[in-house]
Amino acid sequence: MAKKQFKAESKRLLDLMINSIYTNREIFLREVISNASDAIDKLCYASLTDDKIGLNRDDFRIDVTVDKEKRQITVSDNGIGMTAQEMEQNLGVIAKSGTFQFRNENGDAAEKELDVIGQFGVGFYSAFMVSSKVTVISRAYGSEEASVWESSGADGYTVKPGTRDTWGTDVIMTLKEDTDEVSYSEYLDNNTLSSIIKKYSDYIRWPIYMDVTRSRYVETDEVKEDGTKKKEWQDYTENEVVNSRVPIWQRPKNEVSDDDCKAFYKEHFYDFEDPAAVIRVSAEGTVSYKAMLFVPTAAPANYYSKDYQAGLQLYSAGVMIMEHCDALLPDYFRFVRGVVESPDLSLNISREMLQHDRQLKVIANSIEKKIRNELLKLIENDRETYNKFYKAFGLQFKYAMLNAYGSNREQLQDLLMFRSAEKDSFITLKDYTDAMPEEQKMIYYAAGETVASLAELPQTERIRSKGYDILFLTDDVDEFLMNMLGTYAEKKFCSVNSDDLGLETEEEKKHAEETEAENKELLIFVKEALEGKLADCVISRKLVSGAVCLTTKGGVSLEMERYFASLPEAVSGGQTIKAERVLELNPDHEVFAALKKAFDEDREKAADYARLLYGQAELAAGVPLEDTAEFNRLMCRLMK
Ligand code: ADP
């Protein structure tokens, strides 16, 4: 029979597995046993919802057997099994379920890949780390026929008809010959195998049976001088359950270490980084439930695509009834992974019914609070981890608030972070208001493309000279968010471009008004010289050492203008939304004096100056020069 070829990525992974220099080979057993357990879960679930199947939960089991002569380890289950076609589909390609996303781009970085392999759930293929041949005999539940899949590695596989007494699957792994470096034979030792099972698969809910060899001190037929029988140590073998079967989330908190939880997370949810936080809940009351939840540190590769399935695994009475129960999580916490188990839920429940299930709602509310509290705790106690987490997931809090028109602000506003001008790090709104000097009335922010450009904004100088911090906003949504929030802790948000920064004394105000009145003609002249580019030209109350700055009036800021311009035409409908630009002049700057002088003596020169100053203001604001050629021409003319 002709061999079929593995799919390309599978072949690559397989190559790596076969030639693995990866030392943690023993995980192959965990992977194969997990598959067996999943297969039983599937059948068990089907039998709970379909009376016709009518299987007894106690009959489900996994068996691990060893044949030393043939150098074979067999993992058998009486789960759902596979048809020949399913074998093709499932074993010919890498984890169809998307549990393993192989990173092709890592081309030659073999070391790196191996590391990735070691950390991920690598599935069925890991059997090839220890086996020279893998044979899978499977009979799907409800089918009379069995099939045999077999492969000796990367050169392909065969599928042919076979026999199996009952439904289920046997995975027969023929171990490689020992080499100088590696003893594969050690896996033929029952005690080694049972300790590997204990290490990785202890919480598998189905019993894993194995022959375990022990010694006992027993009487022999030989009689000693004193008439008693001689005793000696004898080995005996018993087929027993080697895993303790209680799922990790059901175990008392003090029995499960942090490391256990992290290991469970990585293995179960296919992450190779430790979670940022582990949340354990054991709730009794109107609804009882247990949960083990994880806040990831980094977003999975598919997180921002349609492929990502949010939701928690929902168990009832020891059976997984839903793999991605999204009704348990608000959308803005969709990054949370984990398991929830409640004895109070009906197993026969459909997806639609779950959405409306009252008990589920109670659990969801309670979970939401726990997650929020845990995140707040991280902010308080482990800022570094929170920062990392926030980098990966923070943006969605902002979108979630905007999308809900702020109705969820109480839940989310304290989780937001912004860049602080003073601290040069990310801070929360609470950090900001806690550090505000008593006389500071508002929360200042500046929006722009990069922190570096914001740090140079001339209009921030006055605020900073007072010792007030400024939030630097660099996400597109930020300004919209600030507009929507309006206040935090009863303090108003105030853009550094706002015409009233609330910093002036009455006297300063009066002085500025007078200066403005005195220079009215000049200001009108500048505005006109700029031929429609400006909505206004004013005497600035924000500048200290800078000569000019560009601000806006009305609801649209320069940042918003940039954002709208970046939208594809299909969204914007070809409409351009423009900010109303205001040129602010520093009356105390010598440039202003020069402008004034030119205005009195040489209007043409004054008009040139006005255009140059506008160009300067554009540059300082981080917006592209509207007319680069003219700016250059003016510069040259000035220097001549
Ligand atoms: P996964 O991460 O999806 O488990 P694997 O490579 O380990 O990836 O397995 C691929 C697929 O093969 C599984 O998703 C399952 O459909 C099927 N499979 C593997 N082992 C068994 C088994 N013992 N019984 C039934 N199906 C199995």
Side-chain angles (χ1 to χ4, degrees):
M1 185 178 187
K3 280 207 177 126
K4 302 198 177 178
Q5 293 306 306
F6 288 101
K7 293 268 158 56
E9 317 86 341
S10 312
K11 199 157 177 291
R12 244 161 83 69
L13 180 55
L14 212 68
D15 276 337
L16 280 164
M17 286 296 174
I18 294 162
N19 306 310
S20 178
I21 51 160
Y22 186 60
T23 47
N24 197 17
R25 293 188 182 81
E26 62 189 25
I27 58 141
F28 79 93
L29 195 59
R30 170 190 80 188
E31 298 298 319
V32 174
I33 286 178
S34 292
N35 281 348
S37 169
D38 289 348
I40 297 178
D41 278 346
K42 282 178 197 156
L43 184 56
C44 179
Y45 177 61
S47 77
L48 285 165
T49 47
D50 179 353
D51 294 341
K52 286 198 290 294
I53 298 181
L55 291 171
N56 191 342
R57 274 198 76 183
D58 296 336
D59 296 337
F60 291 117
R61 61 186 277 162
I62 296 168
D63 284 274
V64 179
T65 50
V66 171
D67 184 328
K68 286 198 166 129
E69 233 104 280
K70 293 188 183 154
R71 291 180 68 77
Q72 284 177 343
I73 303 171
T74 301
V75 176
S76 302
D77 66 71
N78 51 1
I80 197 143
M82 283 178 278
T83 61
Q85 200 194 358
E86 283 166 343
M87 278 178 155
E88 286 263 0
Q89 281 169 1
N90 299 336
L91 306 180
V93 290
I94 291 174
K96 291 194 56 201
S97 55
T99 45
F100 184 84
Q101 264 207 338
F102 195 59
R103 295 178 176 180
N104 251 335
E105 64 267 27
N106 286 346
D108 33 34
E111 289 285 335
K112 204 164 156 196
E113 288 179 55
L114 286 170
D115 194 42
V116 173
I117 287 165
Q119 315 263 14
F120 269 100
V122 285
F124 174 71
Y125 288 90
S126 59
F128 286 97
M129 289 200 290
V130 298
S131 318
S132 55
K133 183 170 83 181
V134 179
T135 311
V136 183
I137 306 174
S138 192
R139 185 172 141 191
Y141 184 82
S143 161
E144 291 303 314
E145 290 148 26
S147 314
V148 184
W149 180 100
E150 194 163 82
S151 169
S152 302
D155 60 339
Y157 62 91
T158 57
V159 182
K160 40 190 176 199
T163 53
R164 198 179 191 278
D165 289 345
T166 59
W167 68 88
T169 304
D170 307 311
V171 178
I172 305 163
M173 293 164 276
T174 308
L175 296 187
K176 294 182 187 178
E177 292 301 329
D178 292 348
T179 64
D180 289 346
E181 291 90 42
V182 196
S183 155
Y184 296 99
S185 304
E186 71 177 285
Y187 300 122
L188 293 171
D189 178 61
N190 283 20
N191 290 331
T192 308
L193 285 182
S194 69
S195 62
I196 297 176
I197 294 173
K198 271 234 154 274
K199 184 163 163 194
Y200 295 108
S201 312
D202 205 37
Y203 58 81
I204 294 278
R205 62 182 59 256
W206 308 109
I208 303 170
Y209 284 88
M210 254 196 76
D211 280 346
V212 178
T213 308
R214 293 209 172 78
S215 292
R216 60 185 159 199
Y217 203 47
V218 287
E219 288 179 349
T220 59
D221 292 341
E222 225 175 294
V223 182
K224 288 198 292 192
E225 278 171 11
D226 63 359
T228 59
K229 286 190 172 168
K230 199 177 162 195
K231 280 182 153 187
E232 67 174 22
W233 285 101
Q234 261 178 14
D235 282 352
Y236 70 101
T237 301
E238 237 166 15
N239 192 250
E240 50 183 65
V241 177
V242 287
N243 55 331
S244 51
R245 300 183 57 189
V246 184
I248 189 165
W249 60 88
Q250 287 285 5
R251 291 205 208 138
K253 280 187 196 173
N254 56 5
E255 269 183 29
V256 181
S257 72
D258 258 11
D259 284 346
D260 289 341
C261 297
K262 287 176 188 166
F264 170 77
Y265 166 73
K266 291 201 260 192
E267 189 182 313
H268 211 72
F269 296 101
Y270 310 105
D271 197 347
F272 53 92
E273 267 192 76
D274 278 344
V278 179
I279 307 167
R280 297 209 55 185
V281 193
S282 179
E284 308 272 346
T286 26
V287 181
S288 332
Y289 76 97
K290 287 207 164 64
M292 186 178 271
L293 310 175
F294 305 92
V295 177
T297 314
N302 65 357
Y303 187 70
Y304 290 102
S305 78
K306 298 202 289 303
D307 293 345
Y308 179 81
Q309 280 184 289
L312 301 173
Q313 293 185 347
L314 185 60
Y315 283 79
S316 184
V319 182
M320 193 207 284
I321 54 175
M322 201 179 279
E323 198 177 355
H324 299 281
C325 182
D326 49 9
L328 282 171
L329 287 177
D331 210 39
Y332 44 79
F333 288 155
R334 62 202 296 274
F335 49 82
V336 174
R337 327 280 350 225
V339 181
V340 174
E341 173 145 16
S342 170
D344 300 332
L345 296 169
S346 148
L347 286 176
N348 256 319
I349 212 155
S350 74
R351 215 183 160 77
E352 292 68 41
M353 283 163 73
L354 264 179
Q355 302 284 352
H356 304 293
D357 192 279
R358 200 190 64 80
Q359 283 162 329
L360 206 69
K361 281 225 168 82
V362 176
I363 298 179
N365 285 339
S366 145
I367 281 179
E368 173 174 352
K369 283 201 198 88
K370 304 264 180 208
I371 298 172
R372 184 171 173 271
N373 287 342
E374 192 65 32
L375 293 174
L376 290 174
K377 243 169 48 195
L378 267 187
I379 291 179
E380 198 68 15
N381 305 328
D382 185 355
R383 202 46 88 83
E384 202 180 317
T385 305
Y386 190 78
N387 282 343
K388 226 170 147 193
F389 155 81
Y390 190 81
K391 234 187 194 159
F393 300 105
L395 193 57
Q396 78 190 61
F397 293 155
K398 296 178 181 173
Y399 279 107
M401 289 172 92
L402 278 174
N403 289 342
Y405 302 106
S407 60
N408 48 17
R409 66 179 294 163
E410 287 310 318
Q411 286 94 310
L412 295 178
Q413 63 184 2
D414 285 316
L415 302 176
L416 299 175
M417 303 258 270
F418 302 97
R419 186 78 176 202
S420 147
E422 288 299 314
K423 301 212 174 59
D424 197 27
S425 63
F426 280 88
I427 62 169
T428 63
L429 293 174
K430 186 166 178 300
D431 290 338
Y432 185 97
T433 50
D434 283 354
M436 270 166 77
E438 213 171 315
E439 78 281 0
Q440 185 184 343
K441 295 189 224 86
M442 299 196 266
I443 302 174
Y444 296 103
Y445 68 83
E449 245 175 314
T450 62
V451 169
S453 65
L454 290 171
E456 296 296 329
L457 273 185
Q459 60 266 52
T460 60
E461 233 183 325
R462 154 92 21 110
I463 302 169
R464 295 188 69 178
S465 71
K466 296 244 172 204
Y468 301 165
D469 199 358
I470 298 171
L471 299 174
F472 284 162
L473 313 182
T474 50
D475 285 327
D476 284 343
V477 291
D478 284 338
E479 269 195 305
F480 298 99
L481 188 68
M482 293 295 162
N483 283 347
M484 192 197 71
L485 290 176
T487 59
Y488 174 82
E490 292 168 19
K491 301 280 191 293
K492 256 172 93 172
F493 288 110
C494 176
S495 162
V496 298
N497 291 333
S498 160
D499 54 11
D500 185 8
L501 297 177
L503 299 174
E504 288 164 308
T505 60
E506 282 309 314
E507 212 170 300
E508 285 168 328
K509 226 177 224 170
K510 205 166 144 234
H511 178 68
E513 276 159 17
E514 279 167 12
T515 319
E516 195 143 291
E518 274 165 31
N519 293 290
K520 201 161 177 223
E521 256 181 86
L522 171 64
L523 297 174
I524 293 172
F525 172 81
V526 173
K527 185 178 165 188
E528 281 172 359
L530 282 154
E531 293 164 342
K533 291 190 179 107
L534 291 183
D536 228 336
C537 177
V538 298
I539 292 294
S540 181
R541 296 148 189 227
K542 310 183 175 80
L543 295 168
V544 182
S545 66
V548 280
C549 70
L550 192 61
T551 61
T552 54
K553 63 188 219 181
V556 184
S557 69
L558 291 169
E559 263 318 280
M560 291 176 181
E561 178 185 290
R562 192 182 56 76
Y563 168 72
F564 287 123
S566 72
L567 294 177
E569 204 174 317
V571 180
S572 67
Q575 241 186 336
T576 48
I577 296 178
K578 278 272 182 197
E580 292 189 82
R581 288 156 155 73
V582 176
L583 182 65
E584 301 198 8
L585 305 175
N586 181 353
D588 303 325
H589 200 282
E590 45 198 0
V591 158
F592 186 79
L595 174 69
K596 222 169 147 177
K597 188 158 176 271
F599 178 65
D600 290 337
E601 295 167 3
D602 180 351
R603 290 288 160 106
E604 209 172 309
K605 193 167 167 191
D608 277 0
Y609 281 5
R611 291 185 207 111
L612 264 173
L613 286 174
Y614 177 67
Q616 251 191 53
E618 281 182 310
L619 288 173
V623 295
L625 284 176
E626 226 165 295
D627 192 341
T628 325
E630 192 199 44
F631 187 77
N632 289 343
R633 213 164 18 79
L634 288 168
M635 271 299 241
C636 291
R637 206 190 299 169
L638 181 76
M639 291 172 78
K640 269 196 287 197

